[in-house]
Amino acid sequence: MEKESRPSWDNPMQFVLACVSYAVGLGNVWRFPYLCQMHGGGGFMIPYLIMLFVEGIPLFYMELAIGQKMRLGSIGAWSAISPYLGGLGIASVVTSLYLCLYYNVINAWSFWYLFHSFQAVLPWSDCPVNSNRTAYLEECEVATPTQYFFFRETLNISSSIDENGGVHMGLALCLLLAWLIVYLFIVKGVKSTGKVVYFTATFPYVVLIIYLIRGVTLHGALNGVKYMFTPKMEQLANPQTWINAATQIFFSLGLGFGSLIAFASYNHHNNNFENQAITVSLINSGTSIFASIVTFSIYGFKATFNYESCLERMRLLLMNTFELAEDTVHIDNISFWITDLNRTQPEQIAAIASRIETCSLEAELDTAVEGTGLAFIVYSEAIKNMPAAQLWSVLYFFMLLLLGMGSMLGNVTAIITPLRDFKVLAHSLSNETLNGLVCLFCLLLGFGFTTRSGNYWFTMFNEYGATFSLLFIVLLEIVTVSYIYGLKRFEKDIEDMLGRRPNWYWKIMWVAVSPLLLISLFVFYILNYIQGGAPTYQAWDKDVVREELTQIRLGLRSDSEISCVNLCAYSHIEMTVTRKRGAIPFGLRL
Amino acid sequence: MWTVWTVWMVWMVCLVPTTSEALCTEDDGYKVRLSIKTALGGDAYEWNESEMFFFKATLAFAMRTYSGGEQYDVSNILVCDETLRVSFVFVVTKPSNTSELVPRTEVENAIKKSRHRINSAFLLTDQTLDFVGINPTLAAPIQYDTPPWLIAFGVVMGLVCAGIVALLVSTFLNKKRSKKSADEEEAGRGNGILCESIRGKDGLFNQGLVDDDRLTKL
């Protein structure tokens, strides 16, 4: 008999909020608006919602069911289903570990920006001046102040992944703070996490609403929102749209990391997880759509600001070159003036031809950005032009922090829960010590991402680290549950927990539709990888002052993370296969 | 004699402006552009002769300040090429010899020194009062003793560390307290009698319940 019963959530609301906090993360803010823009605005909702109901919610339901039934972390749960599948759980834990390592670096950057917002003038609004105060620093002149602040002052980026440089002390301090806060939130397991999620799950919505109101009242915001919602239906014919919708749902819900299994394992046996699964998935997608409205109003403001600055520059150029009075040239009649002057004084127009820009609002709106570029460069640029910029900056980066921390809670719980299931560890180390050791381990490895080449490592982990393995893990999960464990047994377990059998809809999804979808996604990724050639990353060229595509040199480099990550993913398949042959049961039993 | 004198006078009158026009070229002086309507919008003032006089006076002031008291006057500032843009070229002549020009570099330094005063006189900025070829000296960055971000960081770090210490200490104290009360129960105090009586059986497991999961509230 266990001396300590398994800890649990104080009430079901904590569990729901924990899942919401985990699922609603940075991807909702910086990936979904980009996809929306790329794939035809309002029209993207169609594949997105279809994928949500066909793939997202059934898989989410399945993971919660497994966790609540087995009442163990991912390793224990999958081993209990089949002894040969312990590797699946380990794969989940390792993927969560990779995610923990690099994800908290984003929180460190958010902290850096948050702390730098407490200044009279935001540091990314102006370029720093050179030593004799005659001009701005050249690197900053060619790029923009926001880009300069991100790449030079925040990251102090080197020119390639090979040049390590030293650790950026400020970022290292921020990373330390980020891990201390994660530790503070998870130190007592679900007892502390359960209280924290009340705040981390709800406050981002408060900020989003404030930003929505601020956003739509900005000058030019409606241009962006109109642009977003104008559907371009022809994009639906593009298979890439459907693939992106499927992958976005998949990664946005955080399937395959073992976090959902871990959270559900602390549930009461009869908890109604079916309704909760549907609720959390809908909230997650709703938040994506809501966040993209905010993002597009900000885009619209920024695009309009840039467009009007461009027009103003042209107006000044015309006035100065042709000595025209100020009130004769307005931003509305610039094109009229240019055609007129082209007729009357063509030589002078030709002389300044290189400086004449065609200002286009469409072109400004078309610049789609995603990821850290959107969050830290585009958004900060928009914020610095708002009145009371410091306040908006603080609010925004605080929201990013909450979103990131909420997801981190899930990721760290996914690592700690299976570890605690090992009786040896549970008895020799107390809760607090084990949690502290995990955080310390991740912190020390995470310092590598605060070096000068850290952003390149981050990009590699972000783009190549987890995507492939996760698809494989979840595919294996659904195949296991539907075929190896058996749908009948699974149905009975659910009936045992909920008091009713799952609908025919769920059964069809689990048995046929979701596995097929995952297989096609998997095949697509493999094809893409093979066709894509050597993987590449964007490197900051200090002389040209923009990002250039650089190839990652793989091969015999022993520290190449890509081969390591893929090797780890494949080694779990190897482990599973070896276990099958050797029939060594994994040491966990209920 | 009278006609000769008249002709000479007319010739002089015509020549002097030509001479001063000859002095006023963009190569020897500086072009100035004012964007009054852009800067002030509705409160913009009209550019007229009086404003030009004011400008000349301001420039003379700048020259006096820079040269340390040399008696520059409004007449030493020559202006030409006025346009509707509100742009013109000016040169500065020496007070001692009005046909000699002050070198460009001196004029540039004088303007740089008093740039802020000149801007304020016309309610304009470095961008709206443009001396073509004289780059504005950029504002020096604010120097802080302690960077403000470190202060914010210190505050948050302190709070977090305090929170962690408080939690760990409270957990430690709770453990000690529960261990002490467990020791006390073993000594038979409190409801130790009840504990001892069921100690021999399977712990605290009530055999009467078949499936305790349904009824156990954690």
Side-chain angles (χ1 to χ4, degrees):
Chain A
M1 199 54 206
E2 282 182 68
K3 201 170 180 208
E4 285 170 24
S5 51
R6 192 175 183 77
S8 73
W9 304 104
D10 288 337
N11 54 54
M13 184 54 127
Q14 282 187 359
F15 169 65
V16 172
L17 287 177
C19 288
V20 167
S21 185
Y22 167 67
V24 174
L26 295 167
N28 299 64
V29 169
W30 74 32
R31 175 88 178 144
F32 181 78
Y34 169 76
L35 287 177
C36 233
Q37 194 173 11
M38 286 283 100
H39 296 296
F44 185 68
M45 301 295 165
I46 298 174
Y48 185 71
L49 289 173
I50 291 178
M51 289 299 167
L52 174 67
F53 286 107
V54 155
E55 177 203 4
I57 304 186
L59 291 173
F60 199 85
Y61 186 154
M62 176 202 69
E63 288 216 357
L64 289 189
I66 300 278
Q68 191 166 312
K69 168 69 189 165
M70 302 301 169
R71 311 199 76 206
L72 287 171
S74 50
I75 302 182
W78 294 110
S79 310
I81 287 185
S82 161
Y84 310 117
L85 282 176
L88 185 60
I90 296 183
S92 283
V93 171
V94 171
T95 317
S96 283
L97 187 68
Y98 282 142
L99 192 75
C100 277
L101 287 180
Y102 80 79
Y103 201 80
N104 226 8
V105 178
I106 306 175
N107 288 334
W109 293 340
S110 300
F111 269 122
W112 175 266
Y113 270 80
L114 177 68
F115 294 145
H116 276 84
S117 308
F118 291 103
Q119 280 178 299
V121 172
L122 291 176
W124 54 85
S125 53
D126 288 314
C127 279
V129 293
N130 62 13
S131 41
N132 47 3
R133 291 165 59 191
T134 48
Y136 296 116
L137 283 182
E138 197 189 319
E139 193 180 358
C140 189
E141 275 287 329
V142 182
T144 61
T146 39
Q147 282 184 331
Y148 177 79
F149 184 76
F150 183 63
F151 287 111
R152 184 56 51 213
E153 297 200 16
T154 308
L155 302 175
N156 197 12
I157 206 161
S158 59
S159 16
S160 85
I161 201 168
D162 306 313
E163 293 174 35
N164 272 330
V167 169
H168 187 293
M169 282 320 294
L171 267 190
L173 285 176
C174 289
L175 185 65
L176 172 66
L177 178 64
W179 273 111
L180 280 177
I181 292 186
V182 170
Y183 181 61
L184 177 66
F185 288 167
I186 55 139
V187 65
K188 285 200 175 167
V190 281
K191 287 299 170 199
S192 50
T193 310
K195 301 206 175 34
V196 163
V197 290
Y198 281 117
F199 186 66
T200 60
T202 53
F203 196 74
Y205 290 99
V206 174
V207 177
L208 274 176
I209 292 175
I210 295 175
Y211 250 94
L212 180 71
I213 299 174
R214 167 76 275 200
V216 297
T217 52
L218 283 171
H219 171 63
L222 290 172
N223 293 336
V225 178
K226 244 189 312 191
Y227 182 79
M228 172 196 159
F229 279 113
T230 329
K232 298 188 195 81
M233 286 302 183
E234 60 273 10
Q235 280 287 339
L236 288 181
N238 180 6
Q240 188 68 36
T241 309
W242 294 87
I243 291 170
N244 279 343
T247 31
Q248 174 59 17
I249 286 286
F250 185 81
F251 292 122
S252 179
L253 287 173
L255 305 164
F257 286 104
S259 310
L260 296 169
I261 297 180
F263 279 151
S265 72
Y266 297 110
N267 271 339
H268 180 58
H269 185 73
N270 293 96
N271 180 48
N272 186 357
F273 61 90
E274 179 172 342
N275 289 349
Q276 290 167 345
I278 300 174
T279 313
V280 173
S281 310
L282 288 177
I283 290 179
N284 180 51
S285 297
T287 311
S288 289
I289 298 173
F290 185 43
S292 61
I293 299 178
V294 176
T295 305
F296 273 92
S297 52
I298 305 275
Y299 262 156
F301 165 69
K302 178 178 159 302
T304 311
F305 185 85
N306 286 349
Y307 171 67
E308 290 182 351
S309 307
C310 173
L311 286 176
E312 187 59 35
R313 279 197 303 275
M314 286 302 100
R315 176 174 165 261
L316 206 64
L317 180 66
L318 286 179
M319 278 195 324
N320 289 351
T321 321
F322 296 98
E323 308 292 355
L324 305 163
E326 275 187 277
D327 38 10
T328 51
V329 188
H330 303 289
I331 50 179
D332 330 327
N333 54 14
I334 286 182
S335 40
F336 159 73
W337 271 106
I338 291 184
T339 39
D340 190 56
L341 289 164
N342 217 355
R343 203 169 28 87
T344 51
Q345 301 180 62
E347 332 78 40
Q348 276 199 292
I349 287 280
I352 55 164
S354 57
R355 290 162 62 193
I356 294 185
E357 314 164 34
T358 33
C359 303
S360 157
L361 187 60
E362 275 284 320
E364 293 283 343
L365 285 169
D366 263 338
T367 53
V369 190
E370 61 158 339
T372 51
L374 170 61
F376 294 104
I377 299 179
V378 170
Y379 253 97
S380 1
E381 198 167 312
I383 288 173
K384 80 173 191 214
N385 295 322
M386 290 185 198
Q390 291 84 357
L391 166 69
W392 298 108
S393 182
V394 166
L395 262 183
Y396 170 69
F397 289 110
F398 190 54
M399 178 190 75
L400 278 193
L401 265 176
L402 286 177
L403 291 174
M405 281 297 171
S407 302
M408 278 303 293
L409 291 179
N411 293 326
V412 177
T413 310
I415 301 176
I416 288 177
T417 308
L419 286 180
R420 282 218 69 77
D421 293 334
F422 283 103
K423 295 287 183 297
V424 178
L425 274 175
H427 285 300
S428 55
L429 294 171
S430 73
N431 220 0
E432 292 80 13
T433 322
L434 178 63
N435 297 349
L437 284 174
V438 170
C439 289
L440 184 67
F441 177 71
C442 292
L443 169 68
L444 291 175
L445 287 184
F447 279 131
F449 294 101
T450 59
T451 57
R452 290 188 59 196
S453 58
N455 191 42
Y456 301 130
W457 290 103
F458 171 83
T459 312
M460 290 230 281
F461 268 74
N462 195 21
E463 286 180 25
Y464 303 110
T467 40
F468 202 60
S469 339
L470 278 176
L471 276 173
F472 186 70
I473 290 171
V474 179
L475 178 60
L476 216 57
E477 283 185 7
I478 188 79
V479 162
T480 306
V481 165
S482 299
Y483 298 105
I484 302 180
Y485 188 65
L487 193 64
K488 294 263 183 300
R489 272 169 80 185
F490 192 54
E491 269 186 278
K492 220 156 55 95
D493 289 334
I494 293 181
E495 191 185 14
D496 194 37
M497 289 192 282
L498 290 182
R500 61 172 183 276
R501 288 194 166 235
N503 210 348
W504 57 266
Y505 174 77
W506 303 115
K507 289 193 272 200
I508 295 181
M509 292 302 138
W510 289 328
V511 169
V513 181
S514 298
L516 275 176
L517 226 107
L518 286 174
I519 289 175
S520 48
L521 276 182
F522 194 66
V523 163
F524 162 76
Y525 264 92
I526 294 181
L527 282 177
N528 222 20
Y529 186 72
I530 296 172
Q531 279 178 348
T536 55
Y537 67 99
Q538 301 264 26
W540 180 262
D541 187 332
K542 190 168 184 214
D543 306 308
V544 183
V545 194
R546 61 162 193 275
E547 294 184 281
E548 305 264 307
L549 220 57
T550 314
Q551 280 206 343
I552 304 172
R553 294 192 303 277
L554 290 179
L556 301 174
R557 285 183 58 92
S558 56
D559 52 6
S560 164
E561 291 293 325
I562 291 189
S563 37
C564 173
V565 168
N566 283 338
L567 219 68
C568 281
Y570 294 132
S571 72
H572 298 303
I573 311 172
E574 287 289 313
M575 264 205 312
T576 317
V577 172
T578 328
R579 286 228 182 75
K580 218 174 207 151
R581 293 199 195 115
I584 305 166
F586 208 66
L588 278 176
R589 283 278 178 267
L590 266 177
Chain B
M1 183 71 187
W2 184 250
T3 31
V4 173
W5 187 81
T6 327
V7 168
W8 183 80
M9 277 302 296
V10 169
W11 181 72
M12 278 300 294
V13 168
C14 293
L15 192 58
V16 168
T18 333
T19 323
S20 45
E21 265 175 35
L23 283 175
C24 177
T25 60
E26 197 171 335
D27 296 327
D28 299 322
Y30 281 100
K31 189 175 174 98
V32 184
R33 289 195 193 114
L34 290 95
S35 312
I36 307 171
K37 291 197 176 63
T38 314
L40 300 170
D43 299 327
Y45 47 82
E46 261 319 301
W47 187 258
N48 50 30
E49 274 300 311
S50 315
E51 300 284 347
M52 181 56 89
F53 175 78
F54 187 22
F55 192 83
K56 289 186 190 175
T58 321
L59 283 180
F61 159 77
M63 293 305 301
R64 281 196 189 198
T65 321
Y66 179 69
S67 62
E70 267 184 59
Q71 297 295 311
Y72 284 92
D73 201 357
V74 175
S75 50
N76 293 118
I77 317 288
L78 302 171
V79 165
C80 51
D81 288 350
E82 286 189 57
T83 66
L84 283 173
R85 163 76 178 81
V86 193
S87 72
F88 47 86
V89 177
F90 74 91
V91 291
V92 184
T93 58
K94 291 199 174 145
S96 46
N97 181 358
T98 47
S99 45
E100 214 185 309
L101 291 178
V102 176
R104 274 187 110 217
T105 42
E106 267 191 61
V107 177
E108 179 174 341
N109 292 336
I111 291 176
K112 270 190 180 165
K113 188 170 174 188
S114 310
R115 185 65 185 263
H116 183 63
R117 297 293 297 272
I118 303 175
N119 286 348
S120 317
F122 290 91
L123 309 173
L124 297 172
T125 64
D126 281 342
Q127 283 72 43
T128 40
L129 174 51
D130 187 17
F131 288 88
V132 179
I134 303 181
N135 291 327
T137 314
L138 301 163
I142 314 172
Q143 292 292 351
Y144 298 102
D145 293 328
T146 340
W149 79 267
L150 262 183
I151 301 174
F153 171 81
V155 169
V156 178
M157 181 66 105
L159 288 172
V160 170
C161 290
I164 292 177
V165 166
L167 267 179
L168 290 177
V169 163
S170 74
T171 317
F172 181 66
L173 285 178
N174 275 342
K175 275 206 194 120
K176 258 177 69 178
R177 216 174 288 143
S178 64
K179 225 202 289 178
K180 221 167 71 166
S181 62
D183 288 339
E184 286 176 13
E185 275 180 23
E186 275 186 29
R189 274 182 271 164
N191 54 353
I193 301 169
L194 188 59
C195 284
E196 281 186 46
S197 69
I198 61 173
R199 194 165 290 283
K201 302 189 181 138
D202 297 324
L204 298 162
F205 184 65
N206 189 334
Q207 306 267 8
L209 296 169
V210 174
D211 192 350
D212 63 348
D213 269 354
R214 282 232 162 80
L215 296 166
T216 305
K217 288 268 184 289
L218 291 166

